[in-house]
Amino acid sequence: MKKRIVLSFVLIFSFFVLGAGVLLYHLFSSSSNLRYLIGLHEIGDIRQELSYNLQNVQLYVLSPPVIFTEHLDKVIESVDLLDESIRACHDCHHVPGIRAEIESTELLVADLKVEMSHLITLVSEGDRRRDLQRNVSDLSNKIKDQVHEMVIRAATTIQSKSDSVMSAIDKSYVYLAFTMLLVLLLAFFVAQYLTKSVTKPIKSLMEGSSEIAAGRWGYQVAYDGKDEFAELVGIFNTMSRSLYTKKRQLHQQMDELKNAQNQLIQAERLTALGSMAGGIAHDFNNILGAMMGHLSILRKTIPQDHDNIAMLETVEKAGFRASDLVNQLLTFSRKKTTKPLPLPISTIITSVVSILDSTMKNNKITLTLNLFEPSPIVYGDSTQLEQVLMNLCVNARDSMKDGGEIKISTVTRYLDEQFVEKYKHVDFDPGEFVQIIVADNGSGIEKKNLTQIFEPFFTTKGEGKGTGLGLSMVYGIVQAHGGCCFVDSTLGQGSTFTIYLPVHSPPH
Amino acid sequence: MLQTSSCIVSRYLSAVITFVLFCCLIVPGTANGKESLTLGLLPEMNVFSQSKRFQPLAVYLSKKIGKEVRFTILSRYGNIIKSLQKKQVDGAFLGSFTGTLAIHQLGVEPLARPVNLDGSSMYFGHIFVRKDSGIMTVDDMKGKIMAFVEQATTAGYVFPLSYLQLHGVEKYQDFFKEYYFTGSHDASISAVLSGNADIGAAKNTVFDHFLETNPRARREIVILASSLAVPSNGLCVSKDMDTELKNKLKNTLLRMKEDNEGKKVLKVLRALDFVETNKEDYEVVEKMASHANISLSNYQYENK
């Protein structure tokens, strides 16, 4: 842009200088011609003086000697003035042609002076005097003719020079007007061009700023120039892109933070629920144990054909059901006693799959395994871990009324500090983990339910179809094994449960 | 009666006015106490050149003597004697012959004469012809055309006359086919060069200057005879001139070369200096005149 501005001004200045130069040339030409004209007018006086002196001389030519004697000083003065006049002409003219004529006239005057002197001093009369008179007369006529020619030429030159002066002055006006008009037009176009060059990118940048202000982060300003504005637009576009990226990162971070908050809340809720359920279940289990013990004694003491035996059996069945419920609650609250052993996880999975194989087939569900080999070893209770997988697979089956596919895969991963920091609601240390993924393509879970999915007694299966303790047990067992579990689900597409269990490292 | 009286008064008045006017015309030209000094010049060369040569001297003399000095050129040599007689001029640069005449007839006083560029204060006369004229001796001149300068010039008349007398020509009027008087020395040279005359006579100073400025003359003119040296054209003044003025004039001329302005004037005059001159210097001319049978005391002539 700077270069363009400088070039524009140089262009205007160049045109101005060019016009001024042409104008000056014509003015110089005019003034030179004017000076020449003044010179011609000045020498016009000299020519008149010359003619006057020539006439004086001619008057004396035919005079008798006595006149010369009486007026000799005047005659000499006239001839000298004639000589001076022609010399003055010589000093004024510089054109070679005219100079040659003047020199020729000077020679004639010199000859005239010689012949005139001879005539003045001649003592004899008669033919000699007449010859000299004729010579002087001829010479003076020649001078007169030459002067006359010079006068005519001078008049012609004056006319010609006057015409050329007027023409040059007229041209000067035209050139001045043309230069002014041209410079004005040029200045107008240059100003318009520069204004456009400046305002167009500024306008684009202002529009870009408005777009960004309106929330269109990452808005790009289009500019095809190669000047400083191109750099500015480039910087603007980079800034816009950067804002867009930062905004996305911020949103992502906000989402993550929100998720973490939700998970933390969920975890705290689950922990609170676990504590409460565990306490109730423990006390209830003790009470139930006493009731079931006394019920067993009572049944042994009452005959089998007693009318109340059926009532006892019903109470006993309810007692067992209550016992199962209490066990499940204890499992969720991690207060159930476990018997941990090093276990190959693939064996646990294949064991569960073999149990479920027939029921899955009946429901047109395919079970696909993709297990990491050699099987990672976890340190845990096989019954509880089998229960975890069983619950997940049963839930998956229940979500696929018309069949589908359940994929179970394992892989080992190192969960670092960053992961731990990200899921700080989960109580585990960084280290080597086995990742178990159970994914189905069933009906999925509504988003609003995802936060409550691991809570006890929360079920979407309808009344009488589920206890709402299956996933609570999964959560409790995984937590009890030093791991963690996550769910991701899209309604209508299926759900994916991810479980991390620490890989067992036997003591060296 | 009244008419007669008025006529008489009128006549007297006219006579008085005429007398006053006459006095006014005459007195300024001759009186010693007048404001200007008029000096005559002989037309020894082209009158215009002659006038120009002496113009700076007029300015110089005016400044030095405190009185306006003007030169007047005369169309005839002989006129100078008349002018001096009529007191129309107060003095003149006279040629050797006119000077001798004026000394003898008018008692003029010679003051100073110029030293020529060759270092001498003398000049001499030449008789010359064109190389192609075939004239080598006086005998060859017979029946030819002779261009004298003037009857009052030494080089242009007295010398050729004396020369012809010495060579047995008693009456030149019958010897030449034609003769005439050009009036100036350079006109005589021009006449020979242009063929208007076969023989010419002129003074050497003008002759040399003419040849200097005219290459054709150098090529075509040859000198047959030269005279003895005579004093150069000196300033002679009227015997009536105030002595103090005379001395001023003389001293100014003699000291001209001492100042730069005077040197410049001398250069234009084609002279180196001025030297004192007196009546004795003109004796050589008197002898030459004697050879030409000219009586200086009562020499009268009329140009033809």
Side-chain angles (χ1 to χ4, degrees), chain A residues 69 73 76 117 121 123-124 128, chain B residues 47 72-73 178 180-181 183 303:
Chain A
T69 306
D73 288 341
I76 289 170
S117 176
T121 57
V123 177
S124 301
R128 295 198 180 279
Chain B
V47 290
T72 179
I73 206 156
E178 189 187 342
Y180 69 100
F181 298 93
N303 287 311

Side-chain angles (χ1 to χ4, degrees), chain B residues 194-236:
Chain B
S194 64
N196 287 331
D198 299 309
I199 310 140
K203 64 193 295 185
N204 73 311
T205 49
V206 178
F207 186 87
D208 293 344
H209 182 59
F210 193 98
L211 263 61
E212 270 176 32
T213 54
N214 194 323
R216 192 186 146 214
R218 276 204 300 276
R219 288 194 305 272
E220 296 183 10
I221 289 179
V222 63
I223 297 166
L224 291 185
S226 297
S227 73
L228 292 172
V230 294
S232 57
N233 289 13
L235 177 63
C236 300

Side-chain angles (χ1 to χ4, degrees), chain A residues 266-331:
Chain A
Q266 191 184 1
E268 282 174 353
R269 280 177 67 186
L270 287 172
T271 304
L273 281 169
S275 298
M276 188 180 75
I280 292 168
H282 185 264
D283 291 344
F284 198 76
N285 197 36
N286 289 340
I287 294 164
L288 196 61
M291 282 173 66
M292 288 300 284
H294 284 95
L295 187 63
S296 178
I297 295 166
L298 187 62
R299 197 176 169 187
K300 282 177 184 174
T301 56
I302 296 173
Q304 290 294 318
D305 54 353
H306 192 278
D307 293 339
N308 293 330
I309 199 77
M311 288 174 69
L312 280 175
E313 283 178 352
T314 302
V315 170
E316 194 179 36
K317 278 182 184 176
F320 282 126
R321 281 179 60 200
S323 179
D324 285 343
L325 197 63
V326 166
N327 276 328
Q328 284 173 12
L329 280 172
L330 285 173
T331 304

Side-chain angles (χ1 to χ4, degrees), chain A residues 88-134:
Chain A
C89 281
H90 195 162
D91 293 342
C92 287
H93 287 83
H94 300 287
V95 181
I98 296 174
R99 185 179 283 269
E101 277 189 16
I102 291 168
E103 281 170 359
S104 160
T105 313
E106 278 180 339
L107 289 174
L108 285 174
V109 171
D111 290 345
L112 178 77
K113 284 169 82 174
V114 172
E115 293 296 319
M116 192 76 185
S117 176
H118 293 173
L119 179 65
I120 290 165
T121 57
L122 183 70
V123 177
S124 301
E125 292 297 326
D127 290 343
R128 295 198 180 279
R129 185 164 197 85
R130 281 192 291 278
D131 286 348
L132 278 173
Q133 282 175 331
R134 192 174 54 251

Side-chain angles (χ1 to χ4, degrees), chain B residues 45-63:
Chain B
M45 59 193 296
N46 184 302
V47 290
F48 307 107
S49 306
Q50 182 80 330
S51 172
K52 200 170 275 182
R53 263 179 77 199
F54 280 85
Q55 209 53 47
L57 182 62
V59 177
Y60 182 78
L61 287 175
S62 301
K63 199 187 285 181

